[in-house]
Each structure stands twice: as structure tokens, then as C-alpha cells.
Amino acid sequence: MERRPRIGVLALQGAFREHAQALRTLGADVVEVRLADELDGLDGLVIPGGESTTMMRLAELYGLDDAIRSYAGAIFGTCAGMILLDRGHLGLADLEVERNAFGRQVRSFEADVALAGDEIPLRGVFIRAPRVRDIGAGVEVLGELDGEPVLVRDGRLLLASFHPELTDDLRVHELFLQMVEEETRVRA
């Protein structure tokens, strides 16, 4: 029997429960992460949306900032998670994002995201979404909205400016689990 991936979901605030449910639906064992030592033994980590300033303060308070920087597995950041992973915060992703660039909470919207290599668009939920302002040469654009990158991969990092966990379409979470499997083989 194949081992189920053990995925941590940062549970400081935000839509962590929805990510956990999506990952469980796909067969992963999910651990809610609130302390640095809870990263031990994980195959992958999700940093959900929420309020990025609050999440960064809590991560620093609990020592999660350095623990995440040291974490070697695949990481999936959505919305605020994308912000936390960018150059100006944890510095793991080779990109720079602007917070709330698509508008405030009342300007939240849904739109079709064009996925690279897939004719069927993905419905994206954009809530106070960040906008990619600068992207490194090695960052792969996987999804666009009106020609702008909203889903990118930087090596072991998957980053979305929208909330795939708020829809029933599990393609982005499936991609993340494929990345987890790839990274697990690399680290073995």
C-alpha cells in the first residue's frame, strides 16, 4: 500500500480548514500547524490566505518564520501565503507582490483563470488578492487572469493570488500533491 502524503496547513488564521478538506478529499493526511516543531515529518506545507500582516506577526512570534525558511519540502501559498513567501517577507519565492492590488474586500470577485496546457479554465476566487509585480526568470507562470500571472511555480513553491480552496475544482491542490511527491523523491 502506498503511503499517504502528510501535509501541514498553517493554521494561524484564514482559510486553513478549506485547504485541509480539499487535501483530505485527495487522500492526504492533514496536520494543522501552529508551532515550529509541527513542521517535522511533513511532506508538504500549505500557507493559506488570511491577513498577511497578522500572519507574519504570528509566524515571527511562534518562530514559524525561521522554521518555514528552513523547511525543505514543497510549499503551496495562496493569497496571503503568496505574500508571505515573496522576496519582501520570508524571501523564499523569486517574486514580488503587491498586497490588495485587485481591490479591497468589497471588490472581491470570481473570474476564469486560464491554465497553461489546459483548455478548461479554473474558476478563481479573488479576495483582497495580491498582484505579481515582478517575477524571477526561473518562475513558471501556470495560470493567468487577463494576461497577468495569478498562479506560478518557483521550484518547490506553488503560489496563487486567488483561493482555489473555495471552489470544488481540485486541480491546483492535485498539482501541489504532485509537487510534494516530486520533492519527496528528490529528498529521499
Coordinates of all heavy atoms in Angstrom, one line a residue, residues 99-180:
R99 N 0.2 43.8 -2.1 CA -1.0 43.4 -1.4 C -2.2 44.1 -1.8 O -2.2 45.3 -2.3 CB -0.8 43.8 0.1 CG 0.3 43.0 0.8 CD 0.5 43.5 2.2 NE -0.7 43.3 3.0 CZ -1.1 44.1 3.9 NH1 -0.5 45.2 4.2 NH2 -2.2 43.9 4.6
N100 N -3.4 43.4 -1.8 CA -4.7 44.0 -2.0 C -4.8 44.7 -3.4 O -5.5 45.7 -3.6 CB -5.1 45.0 -0.9 CG -5.1 44.4 0.4 OD1 -5.4 43.2 0.6 ND2 -4.8 45.2 1.4
A101 N -4.0 44.3 -4.3 CA -3.8 45.0 -5.6 C -5.1 44.9 -6.5 O -5.3 45.8 -7.3 CB -2.6 44.5 -6.4
F102 N -5.9 43.9 -6.3 CA -7.1 43.8 -7.1 C -8.3 44.5 -6.4 O -9.4 44.4 -6.9 CB -7.5 42.3 -7.3 CG -6.6 41.6 -8.3 CD1 -5.5 40.9 -8.0 CD2 -6.9 41.8 -9.7 CE1 -4.7 40.2 -8.9 CE2 -6.1 41.1 -10.7 CZ -5.0 40.4 -10.3
G103 N -8.1 45.1 -5.3 CA -9.1 45.9 -4.6 C -9.4 45.4 -3.2 O -8.9 44.3 -2.8
R104 N -10.1 46.2 -2.5 CA -10.5 45.9 -1.1 C -11.5 44.7 -1.0 O -12.0 44.3 -2.1 CB -11.0 47.1 -0.4 CG -9.9 48.2 -0.4 CD -10.5 49.5 0.2 NE -11.0 49.4 1.6 CZ -10.3 49.5 2.7 NH1 -9.0 49.7 2.6 NH2 -10.8 49.3 3.8
Q105 N -11.9 44.3 0.2 CA -12.8 43.2 0.4 C -14.1 43.4 -0.4 O -14.5 42.4 -1.0 CB -13.1 43.1 1.9 CG -14.0 42.0 2.3 CD -13.2 40.7 2.6 OE1 -12.0 40.8 2.8 NE2 -13.8 39.6 2.5
V106 N -14.6 44.5 -0.5 CA -15.9 44.7 -1.2 C -15.7 44.6 -2.7 O -16.7 44.5 -3.4 CB -16.5 46.1 -0.8 CG1 -16.9 46.2 0.6 CG2 -15.6 47.3 -1.2
R107 N -14.5 44.6 -3.2 CA -14.2 44.5 -4.6 C -13.8 43.0 -5.0 O -13.3 42.8 -6.0 CB -13.2 45.5 -5.1 CG -13.5 46.9 -4.7 CD -13.4 47.9 -5.7 NE -12.9 47.5 -7.0 CZ -13.3 48.0 -8.1 NH1 -14.3 48.8 -8.1 NH2 -12.8 47.6 -9.2
S108 N -14.1 42.1 -4.0 CA -13.7 40.7 -4.3 C -14.6 40.2 -5.5 O -15.7 40.7 -5.8 CB -14.1 39.8 -3.1 OG -13.3 40.3 -2.0
F109 N -14.0 39.2 -6.2 CA -14.7 38.8 -7.4 C -14.3 37.3 -7.7 O -13.3 36.8 -7.2 CB -14.4 39.7 -8.6 CG -12.9 39.7 -9.0 CD1 -12.4 38.9 -10.0 CD2 -12.0 40.6 -8.3 CE1 -11.1 38.9 -10.4 CE2 -10.7 40.6 -8.7 CZ -10.2 39.8 -9.7
E110 N -15.0 36.7 -8.7 CA -14.6 35.4 -9.2 C -14.4 35.6 -10.7 O -15.1 36.5 -11.3 CB -15.8 34.4 -9.0 CG -16.0 34.0 -7.6 CD -17.0 32.9 -7.5 OE1 -17.2 32.1 -8.5 OE2 -17.6 32.8 -6.4
A111 N -13.4 34.9 -11.2 CA -13.1 35.0 -12.7 C -12.5 33.7 -13.1 O -11.9 33.0 -12.3 CB -12.2 36.2 -12.9
D112 N -12.5 33.5 -14.4 CA -11.9 32.3 -15.0 C -10.4 32.6 -15.2 O -10.0 33.6 -15.7 CB -12.5 32.0 -16.4 CG -13.9 31.3 -16.3 OD1 -14.2 30.8 -15.2 OD2 -14.6 31.3 -17.2
V113 N -9.6 31.6 -14.6 CA -8.1 31.7 -14.8 C -7.7 30.7 -15.9 O -8.1 29.6 -15.9 CB -7.5 31.2 -13.4 CG1 -6.0 31.1 -13.6 CG2 -7.8 32.2 -12.3
A114 N -7.0 31.3 -16.9 CA -6.5 30.5 -18.0 C -5.3 29.7 -17.5 O -4.3 30.3 -17.1 CB -6.1 31.4 -19.1
L115 N -5.4 28.4 -17.5 CA -4.3 27.5 -17.1 C -3.4 27.1 -18.3 O -3.9 26.7 -19.3 CB -4.9 26.2 -16.4 CG -5.7 26.5 -15.2 CD1 -6.2 25.1 -14.6 CD2 -4.8 27.1 -14.1
A116 N -2.1 27.1 -18.1 CA -1.2 26.7 -19.1 C -1.4 25.2 -19.4 O -1.5 24.4 -18.4 CB 0.3 27.0 -18.6
G117 N -1.5 24.9 -20.6 CA -1.7 23.5 -21.0 C -3.0 22.8 -20.7 O -3.2 21.6 -20.8
D118 N -4.0 23.6 -20.4 CA -5.4 23.1 -20.1 C -6.4 24.0 -20.7 O -6.4 25.2 -20.5 CB -5.6 23.1 -18.6 CG -6.8 22.2 -18.1 OD1 -7.7 22.0 -19.0 OD2 -6.8 21.8 -17.0
E119 N -7.2 23.4 -21.6 CA -8.2 24.2 -22.3 C -9.4 24.6 -21.4 O -10.1 25.6 -21.7 CB -8.8 23.4 -23.5 CG -7.8 23.2 -24.6 CD -8.4 22.5 -25.8 OE1 -9.6 22.5 -25.9 OE2 -7.6 22.0 -26.6
I120 N -9.6 23.9 -20.3 CA -10.7 24.2 -19.4 C -10.2 25.2 -18.3 O -9.3 25.0 -17.5 CB -11.2 23.0 -18.7 CG1 -11.6 22.0 -19.7 CG2 -12.3 23.3 -17.7 CD1 -11.9 20.6 -19.2
P121 N -10.8 26.4 -18.3 CA -10.3 27.4 -17.3 C -10.7 27.0 -15.9 O -11.6 26.2 -15.7 CB -11.1 28.7 -17.7 CG -12.2 28.3 -18.5 CD -11.9 26.9 -19.1
L122 N -10.0 27.6 -14.9 CA -10.2 27.3 -13.5 C -10.9 28.5 -12.9 O -10.5 29.7 -13.2 CB -8.9 27.1 -12.8 CG -8.9 26.9 -11.3 CD1 -9.2 25.4 -11.0 CD2 -7.6 27.3 -10.7
R123 N -12.0 28.3 -12.2 CA -12.7 29.5 -11.6 C -11.9 29.9 -10.4 O -11.6 29.1 -9.4 CB -14.1 29.1 -11.1 CG -15.0 30.2 -10.8 CD -15.3 30.9 -12.1 NE -16.3 32.0 -11.9 CZ -16.5 33.0 -12.7 NH1 -15.8 33.1 -13.8 NH2 -17.3 34.0 -12.4
G124 N -11.5 31.1 -10.4 CA -10.7 31.7 -9.3 C -11.5 32.6 -8.4 O -12.3 33.4 -8.9
V125 N -11.3 32.5 -7.1 CA -12.0 33.4 -6.1 C -10.9 34.4 -5.7 O -9.9 34.0 -5.0 CB -12.6 32.6 -5.0 CG1 -13.2 33.6 -4.0 CG2 -13.6 31.6 -5.5
F126 N -11.1 35.7 -6.0 CA -10.1 36.7 -5.7 C -10.6 37.6 -4.5 O -11.6 38.3 -4.7 CB -9.8 37.5 -6.9 CG -9.1 36.8 -8.0 CD1 -9.8 36.0 -8.8 CD2 -7.7 36.9 -8.1 CE1 -9.1 35.2 -9.8 CE2 -7.0 36.2 -9.1 CZ -7.7 35.4 -10.0
I127 N -10.0 37.5 -3.3 CA -10.5 38.2 -2.2 C -9.3 39.0 -1.7 O -8.3 38.5 -1.2 CB -11.0 37.3 -1.1 CG1 -12.1 36.4 -1.6 CG2 -11.4 38.1 0.2 CD1 -12.5 35.3 -0.6
R128 N -9.3 40.4 -1.9 CA -8.2 41.2 -1.5 C -6.9 40.6 -2.0 O -5.9 40.5 -1.3 CB -8.1 41.4 0.0 CG -9.3 42.1 0.6 CD -9.3 42.2 2.1 NE -8.1 42.9 2.6 CZ -7.5 42.6 3.7 NH1 -8.0 41.7 4.5 NH2 -6.4 43.3 4.1
A129 N -6.9 40.2 -3.3 CA -5.8 39.4 -3.9 C -4.6 40.2 -4.1 O -4.7 41.4 -4.6 CB -6.3 38.8 -5.1
P130 N -3.4 39.6 -4.0 CA -2.2 40.3 -4.4 C -2.0 40.2 -5.9 O -2.5 39.3 -6.5 CB -1.1 39.5 -3.6 CG -1.7 38.1 -3.5 CD -3.2 38.3 -3.3
R131 N -1.2 41.1 -6.4 CA -0.8 41.1 -7.8 C 0.7 40.9 -7.9 O 1.4 41.5 -7.2 CB -1.3 42.4 -8.4 CG -0.8 42.6 -9.9 CD -1.4 43.9 -10.5 NE -2.7 43.5 -11.1 CZ -3.8 44.3 -10.9 NH1 -3.8 45.4 -10.2 NH2 -4.9 43.9 -11.5
V132 N 1.1 40.1 -8.8 CA 2.5 39.8 -9.1 C 3.1 41.1 -9.8 O 2.6 41.5 -10.8 CB 2.8 38.6 -9.9 CG1 4.2 38.4 -10.2 CG2 2.2 37.3 -9.2
R133 N 4.1 41.7 -9.1 CA 4.7 42.9 -9.7 C 6.0 42.6 -10.4 O 6.4 43.3 -11.3 CB 4.9 44.0 -8.6 CG 3.6 44.6 -8.1 CD 3.1 45.4 -9.3 NE 1.8 46.1 -8.9 CZ 0.9 46.4 -9.7 NH1 1.0 46.2 -11.0 NH2 -0.2 46.9 -9.3
D134 N 6.7 41.6 -9.9 CA 8.0 41.3 -10.5 C 8.2 39.8 -10.3 O 7.8 39.2 -9.3 CB 9.1 42.0 -9.9 CG 10.5 41.8 -10.6 OD1 10.5 42.0 -11.8 OD2 11.4 41.4 -9.9
I135 N 8.7 39.1 -11.4 CA 8.8 37.7 -11.3 C 10.2 37.3 -11.8 O 10.7 37.9 -12.8 CB 7.7 37.1 -12.2 CG1 7.6 35.6 -12.0 CG2 7.9 37.4 -13.7 CD1 6.3 35.1 -12.6
G136 N 10.9 36.4 -11.1 CA 12.2 35.9 -11.5 C 12.2 35.1 -12.7 O 11.2 34.5 -13.1
A137 N 13.4 35.0 -13.4 CA 13.5 34.3 -14.7 C 13.1 32.9 -14.5 O 12.6 32.3 -15.5 CB 14.9 34.5 -15.2
G138 N 13.4 32.2 -13.4 CA 13.1 30.8 -13.2 C 11.7 30.5 -12.8 O 11.4 29.3 -12.6
V139 N 10.8 31.5 -12.6 CA 9.5 31.3 -12.1 C 8.6 31.0 -13.3 O 8.6 31.7 -14.3 CB 8.9 32.5 -11.4 CG1 7.5 32.3 -10.9 CG2 9.8 32.8 -10.2
E140 N 7.8 29.9 -13.2 CA 7.0 29.4 -14.3 C 5.5 29.9 -14.1 O 5.0 29.7 -13.0 CB 7.0 27.9 -14.4 CG 6.2 27.2 -15.4 CD 6.2 25.7 -15.4 OE1 6.8 25.2 -14.4 OE2 5.6 25.1 -16.2
V141 N 5.0 30.5 -15.1 CA 3.6 31.0 -15.0 C 2.7 29.9 -15.4 O 2.7 29.4 -16.5 CB 3.3 32.2 -15.9 CG1 1.9 32.7 -15.8 CG2 4.2 33.4 -15.4
L142 N 1.8 29.4 -14.5 CA 0.9 28.3 -14.7 C -0.6 28.8 -15.0 O -1.4 28.0 -15.5 CB 0.9 27.4 -13.5 CG 2.2 26.8 -13.2 CD1 2.1 25.9 -11.9 CD2 2.8 26.0 -14.3
G143 N -0.9 30.0 -14.5 CA -2.2 30.5 -14.7 C -2.2 32.0 -14.8 O -1.4 32.7 -14.2
E144 N -3.1 32.5 -15.7 CA -3.2 34.0 -15.9 C -4.6 34.4 -15.8 O -5.6 33.7 -16.2 CB -2.6 34.3 -17.3 CG -1.2 34.1 -17.4 CD -0.6 34.5 -18.8 OE1 -1.4 34.7 -19.7 OE2 0.6 34.7 -18.9
L145 N -4.8 35.7 -15.4 CA -6.0 36.4 -15.5 C -5.8 37.7 -16.3 O -5.0 38.5 -15.9 CB -6.5 36.7 -14.1 CG -7.8 37.6 -14.0 CD1 -9.0 36.8 -14.5 CD2 -8.1 38.0 -12.6
D146 N -6.5 37.8 -17.4 CA -6.3 39.0 -18.3 C -4.8 39.2 -18.6 O -4.3 40.4 -18.6 CB -6.9 40.2 -17.7 CG -8.4 40.1 -17.5 OD1 -9.0 39.3 -18.3 OD2 -8.9 40.6 -16.5
G147 N -4.0 38.1 -18.8 CA -2.6 38.3 -19.2 C -1.7 38.5 -18.0 O -0.5 38.6 -18.3
E148 N -2.2 38.5 -16.8 CA -1.3 38.7 -15.6 C -1.2 37.3 -14.9 O -2.1 36.6 -14.8 CB -1.9 39.7 -14.6 CG -1.9 41.1 -15.1 CD -2.3 42.0 -14.0 OE1 -1.8 41.9 -12.9 OE2 -3.2 42.9 -14.3
P149 N 0.0 37.0 -14.4 CA 0.2 35.8 -13.7 C -0.5 35.8 -12.4 O -0.4 36.7 -11.6 CB 1.7 35.7 -13.5 CG 2.2 37.1 -13.6 CD 1.3 37.8 -14.5
V150 N -1.3 34.7 -12.1 CA -2.0 34.6 -10.8 C -1.8 33.2 -10.2 O -2.2 32.9 -9.1 CB -3.5 34.8 -11.0 CG1 -3.8 36.3 -11.3 CG2 -4.2 33.9 -12.0
L151 N -1.1 32.3 -11.0 CA -0.7 31.0 -10.5 C 0.7 30.7 -11.0 O 0.9 30.7 -12.2 CB -1.7 29.9 -10.9 CG -1.3 28.5 -10.5 CD1 -1.4 28.3 -8.9 CD2 -2.3 27.5 -11.1
V152 N 1.7 30.6 -10.1 CA 3.1 30.4 -10.6 C 3.7 29.3 -9.8 O 3.3 29.0 -8.7 CB 3.9 31.7 -10.4 CG1 3.3 32.8 -11.3 CG2 4.0 32.2 -9.0
R153 N 4.8 28.8 -10.4 CA 5.6 27.8 -9.7 C 7.1 28.3 -9.7 O 7.6 28.6 -10.8 CB 5.5 26.4 -10.4 CG 6.4 25.4 -9.7 CD 6.2 24.0 -10.3 NE 7.0 23.0 -9.6 CZ 7.0 21.7 -9.8 NH1 6.3 21.2 -10.7 NH2 7.8 21.0 -9.1
D154 N 7.7 28.2 -8.5 CA 9.1 28.6 -8.4 C 9.8 27.4 -7.7 O 9.8 27.3 -6.5 CB 9.2 29.8 -7.5 CG 10.7 30.3 -7.5 OD1 11.6 29.7 -8.1 OD2 10.9 31.3 -6.7
G155 N 10.2 26.4 -8.5 CA 10.8 25.2 -8.0 C 9.8 24.4 -7.2 O 8.8 23.9 -7.7
R156 N 10.1 24.3 -5.9 CA 9.2 23.6 -5.0 C 8.1 24.4 -4.4 O 7.3 23.9 -3.6 CB 10.1 23.0 -3.8 CG 10.6 24.1 -2.9 CD 11.6 23.5 -1.9 NE 12.2 24.6 -1.1 CZ 11.7 25.1 0.0 NH1 10.6 24.6 0.5 NH2 12.3 26.1 0.6
L157 N 7.9 25.6 -4.9 CA 6.9 26.5 -4.4 C 5.8 26.7 -5.4 O 6.1 26.9 -6.6 CB 7.4 27.9 -4.0 CG 8.6 27.9 -3.1 CD1 9.1 29.4 -2.9 CD2 8.3 27.3 -1.7
L158 N 4.5 26.6 -5.0 CA 3.4 26.8 -5.8 C 2.7 28.0 -5.2 O 2.4 28.0 -4.0 CB 2.4 25.6 -5.9 CG 1.2 25.7 -6.7 CD1 1.6 25.9 -8.2 CD2 0.3 24.5 -6.5
L159 N 2.4 29.0 -6.0 CA 1.8 30.3 -5.4 C 0.6 30.7 -6.2 O 0.7 30.8 -7.5 CB 2.9 31.4 -5.4 CG 4.2 31.0 -4.7 CD1 5.4 31.6 -5.4 CD2 4.1 31.3 -3.3
A160 N -0.5 31.1 -5.5 CA -1.7 31.5 -6.2 C -2.2 32.8 -5.5 O -2.2 32.9 -4.3 CB -2.8 30.5 -6.1
S161 N -2.6 33.8 -6.3 CA -3.1 35.0 -5.8 C -4.6 34.9 -5.5 O -5.2 35.8 -4.9 CB -2.8 36.2 -6.7 OG -3.4 36.0 -8.0
F162 N -5.2 33.8 -5.8 CA -6.6 33.5 -5.6 C -6.8 32.4 -4.6 O -5.8 31.8 -4.1 CB -7.3 33.2 -6.9 CG -6.7 32.1 -7.7 CD1 -7.3 30.8 -7.6 CD2 -5.7 32.2 -8.5 CE1 -6.8 29.7 -8.3 CE2 -5.1 31.2 -9.3 CZ -5.7 29.9 -9.1
H163 N -8.0 32.0 -4.4 CA -8.3 31.0 -3.4 C -8.9 29.7 -4.0 O -10.1 29.6 -4.1 CB -9.3 31.5 -2.4 CG -8.8 32.6 -1.5 ND1 -8.3 32.3 -0.3 CD2 -8.8 33.9 -1.7 CE1 -7.9 33.5 0.3 NE2 -8.2 34.4 -0.5
P164 N -8.1 28.8 -4.5 CA -8.6 27.5 -5.1 C -9.4 26.7 -4.1 O -10.2 25.8 -4.5 CB -7.4 26.8 -5.6 CG -6.3 27.4 -4.8 CD -6.6 28.8 -4.4
E165 N -9.1 26.8 -2.8 CA -9.8 26.0 -1.8 C -11.2 26.4 -1.6 O -12.0 25.7 -0.9 CB -9.0 26.2 -0.4 CG -9.2 27.5 0.3 CD -8.4 28.7 -0.2 OE1 -7.7 28.6 -1.2 OE2 -8.5 29.7 0.5
L166 N -11.7 27.5 -2.2 CA -13.1 28.0 -2.0 C -13.9 27.5 -3.2 O -15.1 28.0 -3.3 CB -13.1 29.5 -1.9 CG -12.4 30.0 -0.6 CD1 -12.5 31.5 -0.5 CD2 -12.9 29.4 0.7
T167 N -13.4 26.6 -4.0 CA -14.2 26.1 -5.1 C -14.1 24.5 -5.0 O -13.4 24.0 -4.2 CB -13.7 26.5 -6.5 OG1 -12.5 25.8 -6.8 CG2 -13.5 28.0 -6.6
D168 N -14.9 23.9 -5.8 CA -14.9 22.4 -5.8 C -13.9 21.9 -6.8 O -13.7 20.6 -7.0 CB -16.3 21.8 -6.2 CG -17.3 22.1 -5.1 OD1 -16.9 22.2 -3.9 OD2 -18.5 22.3 -5.5
D169 N -13.2 22.7 -7.6 CA -12.2 22.3 -8.5 C -10.9 22.1 -7.8 O -10.3 23.0 -7.2 CB -12.0 23.4 -9.6 CG -11.2 23.0 -10.8 OD1 -10.3 22.1 -10.6 OD2 -11.5 23.6 -11.9
L170 N -10.4 20.8 -7.8 CA -9.3 20.4 -7.0 C -8.0 20.4 -7.9 O -7.0 19.9 -7.4 CB -9.5 19.1 -6.4 CG -10.7 19.0 -5.4 CD1 -10.9 17.6 -4.9 CD2 -10.5 20.0 -4.3
R171 N -8.0 20.9 -9.1 CA -6.8 20.8 -9.9 C -5.5 21.4 -9.3 O -4.4 20.9 -9.5 CB -7.1 21.4 -11.3 CG -8.0 20.5 -12.2 CD -8.2 21.1 -13.5 NE -9.2 22.2 -13.4 CZ -9.5 23.0 -14.4 NH1 -8.9 22.9 -15.6 NH2 -10.3 24.0 -14.2
V172 N -5.7 22.5 -8.7 CA -4.5 23.2 -8.1 C -3.9 22.4 -6.9 O -2.7 22.2 -6.8 CB -4.8 24.6 -7.7 CG1 -3.5 25.3 -7.1 CG2 -5.2 25.5 -8.9
H173 N -4.8 21.9 -6.1 CA -4.4 21.0 -5.0 C -3.8 19.7 -5.5 O -2.8 19.2 -4.9 CB -5.6 20.7 -4.0 CG -5.9 21.9 -3.2 ND1 -6.8 22.9 -3.7 CD2 -5.5 22.3 -2.0 CE1 -7.0 23.8 -2.7 NE2 -6.2 23.5 -1.7
E174 N -4.3 19.2 -6.6 CA -3.7 18.0 -7.2 C -2.3 18.3 -7.7 O -1.4 17.4 -7.5 CB -4.6 17.5 -8.4 CG -5.9 16.9 -8.0 CD -6.8 16.6 -9.2 OE1 -6.6 17.1 -10.3 OE2 -7.8 15.8 -9.0
L175 N -2.1 19.4 -8.3 CA -0.8 19.8 -8.8 C 0.2 19.9 -7.6 O 1.3 19.4 -7.6 CB -0.9 21.1 -9.5 CG 0.5 21.7 -9.9 CD1 1.3 20.8 -10.8 CD2 0.3 23.1 -10.6
F176 N -0.3 20.5 -6.5 CA 0.5 20.6 -5.3 C 0.9 19.2 -4.8 O 2.1 19.0 -4.5 CB -0.2 21.4 -4.2 CG 0.6 21.5 -2.9 CD1 1.9 22.0 -2.9 CD2 0.1 20.9 -1.8 CE1 2.6 22.1 -1.7 CE2 0.9 20.9 -0.6 CZ 2.1 21.5 -0.6
L177 N 0.0 18.3 -4.7 CA 0.3 17.0 -4.3 C 1.3 16.3 -5.2 O 2.2 15.5 -4.8 CB -0.9 16.1 -4.1 CG -1.8 16.6 -2.9 CD1 -3.0 15.7 -2.8 CD2 -1.0 16.5 -1.6
Q178 N 1.2 16.5 -6.5 CA 2.3 16.0 -7.5 C 3.6 16.6 -7.1 O 4.6 15.9 -7.2 CB 1.9 16.3 -8.9 CG 0.7 15.6 -9.4 CD 0.2 16.1 -10.8 OE1 0.8 17.0 -11.4 NE2 -1.0 15.6 -11.2
M179 N 3.7 17.9 -6.8 CA 4.9 18.5 -6.5 C 5.5 17.9 -5.2 O 6.7 17.8 -5.0 CB 4.7 20.0 -6.3 CG 4.4 20.8 -7.6 SD 4.0 22.5 -7.4 CE 5.4 23.2 -6.5
V180 N 4.6 17.7 -4.2 CA 5.0 17.0 -3.0 C 5.7 15.7 -3.2 O 6.8 15.4 -2.7 CB 3.8 16.9 -2.0 CG1 4.2 15.9 -0.9 CG2 3.3 18.2 -1.5

